[in-house]
Amino acid sequence: MRMTSVLITAYAKAPQNTSMYENYKYAGIVLEIHKETHIILNAEFTFLTNLAQDYFKRMIIGYDFSKDIKPLIEEITSDFIAPSQQAVIVALKVAHQRYKDSLEARKLKKERE
């Protein structure tokens, strides 16, 4: 069965003197993205609490990841007030760049075929 989505992961260093750092050392993000619509279908982050995990998911699911993520980062900056905020943003930027690179690679592959 061919998957209709891709899984993108990215990491950033967790902020020191936080539970996240003590438990994981890194902040990790995992995004499931629909291949054709580029919409984020599901998301996980290495938060320790279910509430933070749920909040982040509600914030990010449904976002078109092929577009500029500046509005999403602005929302995280204003509404996700936690020591891990910057780690979340860095991991999200890395994931976004990785996704854009994969889209470009798929486009080049199709052109060669």
Side-chain angles (χ1 to χ4, degrees):
M1 175 198 279
R2 185 145 184 140
M3 298 297 289
T4 59
S5 60
V6 295
L7 204 65
I8 303 287
T9 64
Y11 300 89
K13 188 173 180 181
Q16 291 190 354
N17 301 319
T18 64
S19 311
M20 182 185 283
Y21 181 81
E22 297 303 320
N23 284 282
Y24 304 120
K25 304 293 184 237
Y26 287 90
I29 190 172
V30 182
L31 302 173
E32 180 182 7
I33 304 168
H34 192 272
K35 287 180 182 179
E36 295 199 14
T37 64
H38 312 290
I39 299 296
I40 298 171
L41 302 173
N42 207 344
E44 284 190 20
F45 203 83
T46 52
F47 295 122
L48 293 176
T49 67
N50 291 333
L51 179 58
Q53 185 72 254
D54 180 63
Y55 189 85
F56 180 72
K57 285 176 86 160
R58 287 184 285 131
M59 185 176 265
I60 197 167
I61 288 176
Y63 198 83
D64 182 342
F65 214 51
S66 67
K67 298 196 182 300
D68 184 13
I69 61 169
K70 187 176 180 181
L72 183 57
I73 290 171
E74 288 172 358
E75 186 177 351
I76 291 168
T77 301
S78 68
D79 298 342
F80 188 78
I81 303 160
S84 58
Q85 180 191 77
Q86 197 57 40
V88 168
I89 291 169
V90 169
L92 189 62
K93 285 180 178 180
V94 171
H96 188 249
Q97 185 60 52
R98 189 168 286 158
Y99 186 68
K100 286 178 19 183
D101 291 348
S102 75
L103 289 178
E104 187 62 31
R106 267 190 269 157
K107 180 181 173 186
L108 290 173
K109 183 180 177 185
K110 281 185 180 181
E111 288 174 358
R112 284 187 224 136
E113 293 175 350

